[in-house]
Each structure stands twice: as C-alpha cells, then as structure tokens.
C-alpha cells in the first residue's frame, strides 16, 4: 500500500513563527508535489521536487525532498496570516499515472 | 495563464440519476485525470486518460463511471446511476506529460446526491 502520511494534521501558530510540515512514506516516489487548497476549491500547485536531496525555495517557503525520495518537508519562515490554508503533498511513481495524496496539514496563522 | 475549467461548479441530483461532469483541460496537455474528494477526506484518484483511452483507473472507478473526450477540448466524467456515496468534490486535472510533469487542477464540481 502506497501511503503518504502528513504531520501534523493541524497546526495553529502566531504570525512570525517558523514551522515545518512533514510528508512521509515507506515507498519511493519519482517526484513529489506540494499543493495548497482553499475550502471549496481545487488544489493549487506550489512546487514539484524530483531529485533526492533537492531543495526548492518559494519566497518564505522551503521544500525539501529526502535523499531516498520517500519523504519531504515544507518549512515556512516567519509565517503570515496569508499562509493559512490546507497544505497537501502528493507523490507520483514512474509506473503510474496517478498521484498518491496525503491527508493534508491544516495550517492557521494567527495575527 | 492557462487553466483547467470545470462545469458546473455545483450539481445536485437524485439518487439513481445520471450526471455528466465537464472539464476543459489546458489546451496543449495530453494527459487528463479525474480525482474526487469526499468532504473531510483525502483526494482520491479515479482515472487517467491518454490518447483517447483510459490508461489507469482505481478501484473506485467501477462500471458506473465512464470518461470521454467528445471533441478536441472537453473531457467528461459520467456517473450512470448515482449513489448517495458519490457525493463529493470532483476534480479534473491535466498535464503535458507523465511524471514529473505537473498536474494542473480545475476548481472542482461539487456533486450532491440526494
């Protein structure tokens, strides 16, 4: 069974704090994507990581793909209320067309 | 910026009725997908479509479901006889190629089966 486990499921912090969200699996993925989803809307892609150990930065967001391509993390520096949302990771495997999804981390940044 | 569009945004139907959910993928994309998300649950893969045929489908995608690309722009998901448990958000996605090419998602159709 290919599962992606995200942690924490829910995180509420103050504006200005740093946070890290994790996406873990026992399976190897050829690529992993991070999405953000607002209520009642479709997931919006933030980043795709492909190479083991890869680090990508998107302003205050830093994404890392584990060396073994089984896990990934999303680190937000100096979180802002605008970062509030549901963050989803989704993995793809070479042999499949489908994306395997995590359950998401619901993030609330309080002003 | 090109985007995937879906219609309708919300569909309410009676149990046992047929529904067709419509999607217009990004124009130069070759791979098309349907996912669903039951309220409060994970996004789940339903089916992928390439070169006018299904390339992969999940266990959820049983004989009640079908997909079609009736013309050069639309991609549809048909549910023949809806059940209460079909109530969910249905997302269409498209990509230019296979992994690691990005799948771009539409805004979804909320299907409510009464």
């Amino acid at each position: 069974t290919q599962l992606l486990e995200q942690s924490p499921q829910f995180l509420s912090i103050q504006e200005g704090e740093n946070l890290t969200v994790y996406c873990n699996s026992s399976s190897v993925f050829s690529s992993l994507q991070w999405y953000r989803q607002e209520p009642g809307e479709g997931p919006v892609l933030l980043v795709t990581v492909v190479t083991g150990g890869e680090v990508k930065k998107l302003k205050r967001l830093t994404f890392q793909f584990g060396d073994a391509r089984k896990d990934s993390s999303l680190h937000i520096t100096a979180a802002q209320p605008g970062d509030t949302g549901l963050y989803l990771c989704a993995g793809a495997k070479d042999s499949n067309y489908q994306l395997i999804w995590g359950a998401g981390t619901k993030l609330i940044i309080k002003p | 910026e090109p985007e995937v569009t879906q219609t309708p945004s919300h569909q309410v139907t009676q149990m046992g009725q047929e529904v067709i959910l419509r999607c217009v993928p990004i124009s130069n994309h070759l791979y098309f997908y349907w996912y669903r998300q039951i309220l409060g649950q994970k996004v789940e893969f339903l089916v992928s479509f390439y070169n006018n045929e299904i390339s992969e489908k999940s266990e959820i995608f049983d004989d009640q479901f079908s997909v079609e690309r009736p013309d050069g722009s639309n991609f549809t998901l048909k549910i023949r006889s809806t059940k209460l448990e079909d109530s969910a958000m249905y997302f269409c996605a498209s990509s230019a190629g296979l992994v690691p090419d990005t799948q771009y998602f539409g805004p979804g159709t909320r299907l409510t089966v009464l």
Side-chain angles (χ1 to χ4, degrees):
Chain A
T1 304
Q2 306 159 17
L3 287 178
L4 271 173
E5 300 288 342
Q6 282 190 246
S7 61
Q9 291 181 322
F10 179 77
L11 184 60
S12 178
I13 62 172
Q14 291 295 134
E15 179 178 1
E17 293 183 10
N18 302 332
L19 66 107
T20 303
V21 174
Y22 299 93
C23 179
N24 295 306
S25 176
S26 57
S27 299
V28 175
F29 291 94
S30 58
S31 68
L32 198 136
Q33 301 180 343
W34 284 91
Y35 290 83
R36 181 172 158 177
Q37 186 180 23
E38 302 298 333
E41 297 181 10
V44 176
L45 181 72
L46 296 173
V47 79
T48 300
V49 286
V50 178
T51 308
E54 182 176 5
V55 176
K56 281 193 174 177
K57 292 196 173 190
L58 194 66
K59 296 182 182 177
R60 294 175 293 100
L61 277 59
T62 302
F63 303 86
Q64 184 161 9
F65 202 12
D67 291 340
R69 291 185 292 144
K70 293 182 179 181
D71 54 84
S72 181
S73 63
L74 157 61
H75 182 79
I76 301 179
T77 304
Q80 305 291 314
D83 296 327
T84 293
L86 179 67
Y87 289 82
L88 298 162
C89 65
K93 296 175 77 71
D94 281 333
S95 58
N96 293 351
Y97 293 77
Q98 64 177 286
L99 287 174
I100 308 295
W101 293 80
T105 293
K106 185 166 183 178
L107 179 63
I108 294 177
I109 311 300
K110 295 177 284 190
Chain B
E1 187 174 325
E3 58 182 18
V4 176
T5 59
Q6 290 185 242
T7 54
S9 56
H10 192 186
Q11 173 92 44
V12 181
T13 189
Q14 294 290 326
M15 189 170 58
Q17 295 295 304
E18 174 184 288
V19 294
I20 297 177
L21 309 183
R22 300 184 190 317
C23 168
V24 179
I26 294 174
S27 62
N28 63 342
H29 284 184
L30 300 177
Y31 298 83
F32 314 113
Y33 313 84
W34 282 101
Y35 292 84
R36 78 170 186 192
Q37 187 177 32
I38 295 171
L39 187 63
Q41 297 187 22
K42 287 186 183 185
V43 177
E44 299 172 292
F45 170 79
L46 292 178
V47 67
S48 59
F49 192 85
Y50 170 72
N51 200 26
N52 283 319
E53 60 182 25
I54 290 174
S55 42
E56 189 178 12
K57 61 183 180 179
S58 71
E59 292 174 355
I60 302 167
F61 194 88
D62 61 23
D63 292 342
Q64 293 298 312
F65 291 88
S66 62
V67 288
E68 197 177 34
R69 189 152 162 84
D71 53 45
S73 60
N74 290 285
F75 179 51
T76 62
L77 173 69
K78 182 193 289 186
I79 309 175
R80 266 181 264 284
S81 178
T82 50
K83 308 183 193 69
L84 294 176
E85 54 264 36
D86 293 328
S87 294
M89 281 289 280
Y90 287 80
F91 295 108
C92 172
S94 69
S95 63
L98 285 173
V99 298
D101 278 16
T102 302
Q103 293 182 19
Y104 293 89
F105 284 74
T109 292
R110 178 173 297 283
L111 176 65
T112 302
V113 182
L114 302 175

